[in-house]
Amino acid sequence: SAVISQKPSRDICQRGTSLTIQCQVDSQVTMMFWYRQQPGQSLTLIATANQGSEATYESGFVIDKFPISRPNLTFSTLTVSNMSPEDSSIYLCSAKQGLAANTGELFFGEGSRLTVL
Amino acid sequence: ILNVEQSPQSLHVQEGDSTNFTCSFPSSNFYALHWYRWETAKSPEALFVMTLNGDEKKKGRISATLNTKEGYSYLYIKGSQPEDSATYLCARNTGFQKLVFGTGTRLLVSP
């Protein structure tokens, strides 16, 4: 198993500012992902964080808005840029161990709850 | 069904009641179906990963079944306890190790 720590756990931000969320895993993992849950919505995948290279973004998400870094196998950051109230969400870091294609469970952090005023 | 759908959206039961939830998903190009439990202020926790049609898995008082041909999975909780109160999420693996989640079933168990 993997234990994932995220910070901040919550924050209140002003419109137009940017915030970086950090994700630290206690063991090496093969894949890291960033999800978002807007109020009343399902968990939605933002991107796959790739070690040492640009993240792979899902449809509807772009690097300029959600820059992601993953400098090593255990750490990643997500920045929410130029925030608006629509960015108020819970942002979750997740990770997968091993190479079992499509069947391995995901481990999640406790989430970062952002409120944008 | 294009997306993952869960029902009911919320459920309130008394301690000791047994309950079940439904997850419906597209039956084509099936890879795996995941169930997670998400308690408030905690991390989502994996309950089951199911891959084969007819799979049945059990973890304590919680069990799940899978029908990939018709595209549904049931999660059962026997003798619900207050500590079972949480949001139960199902997610379909769409390939490339990505999960598409339903909106969840929020369970509240009263003592």
Side-chain angles (χ1 to χ4, degrees):
Chain A
S1 65
V3 176
I4 300 178
S5 303
Q6 272 185 248
K7 57 180 180 182
S9 57
R10 59 177 63 233
D11 207 339
I12 299 174
C13 307
Q14 296 298 316
R15 180 195 299 261
T17 63
S18 299
L19 182 77
T20 295
I21 302 167
Q22 297 182 1
C23 174
Q24 178 72 55
V25 190
D26 70 343
S27 57
Q28 291 188 352
V29 292
T30 51
M31 302 188 76
M32 294 182 75
F33 307 92
W34 287 96
Y35 283 82
R36 175 177 78 176
Q37 186 187 45
Q38 293 177 300
Q41 304 296 312
S42 57
L43 277 173
T44 302
L45 180 62
I46 298 172
T48 303
N50 299 311
Q51 186 207 350
S53 65
E54 190 172 294
T56 304
Y57 290 85
E58 296 302 304
S59 176
F61 298 96
V62 294
I63 188 171
D64 290 346
K65 176 66 176 177
F66 297 102
I68 289 171
S69 77
R70 187 182 173 192
N72 56 51
L73 289 173
T74 63
F75 184 78
S76 178
T77 66
L78 167 74
T79 299
V80 186
S81 303
N82 188 25
M83 285 185 283
S84 66
E86 293 70 39
D87 295 320
S88 298
S89 298
I90 300 174
Y91 292 85
L92 287 128
C93 173
S94 69
K96 183 176 183 299
Q97 291 178 319
L99 297 174
N102 303 321
T103 57
E105 67 184 78
L106 287 186
F107 300 95
F108 285 90
E110 293 182 350
S112 299
R113 183 183 294 269
L114 300 189
T115 301
V116 185
L117 302 177
Chain B
I1 297 174
L2 298 180
N3 295 314
V4 177
E5 298 175 359
Q6 291 188 247
S7 63
Q9 280 191 327
S10 63
L11 196 55
H12 185 186
V13 302
Q14 296 298 311
E15 182 175 357
D17 289 349
S18 293
T19 187
N20 65 85
F21 326 133
T22 303
C23 173
S24 302
F25 52 88
S27 56
S28 59
N29 299 321
F30 178 83
Y31 292 94
L33 193 285
H34 298 232
W35 280 101
Y36 288 84
R37 174 171 60 200
W38 193 2
E39 296 179 63
T40 302
K42 294 187 177 180
S43 311
E45 171 197 2
L47 291 173
F48 305 112
V49 179
M50 309 175 78
T51 57
L52 299 176
N53 184 45
D55 253 357
E56 290 188 30
K57 296 208 171 181
K58 188 175 181 181
K59 190 174 188 177
R61 293 179 291 98
I62 304 176
S63 60
T65 61
L66 177 67
N67 183 321
T68 61
K69 294 185 178 179
E70 296 182 38
Y72 65 84
S73 175
Y74 294 135
L75 187 79
Y76 301 91
I77 302 178
K78 184 178 178 181
S80 302
Q81 300 296 308
E83 57 265 31
D84 295 328
S85 298
T87 297
Y88 291 81
L89 300 169
C90 74
R92 169 178 170 249
N93 193 311
T94 62
F96 306 105
Q97 310 199 53
K98 299 175 185 176
L99 297 186
V100 175
F101 283 85
T103 53
T105 293
R106 185 175 299 176
L107 174 67
L108 177 62
V109 183
S110 296

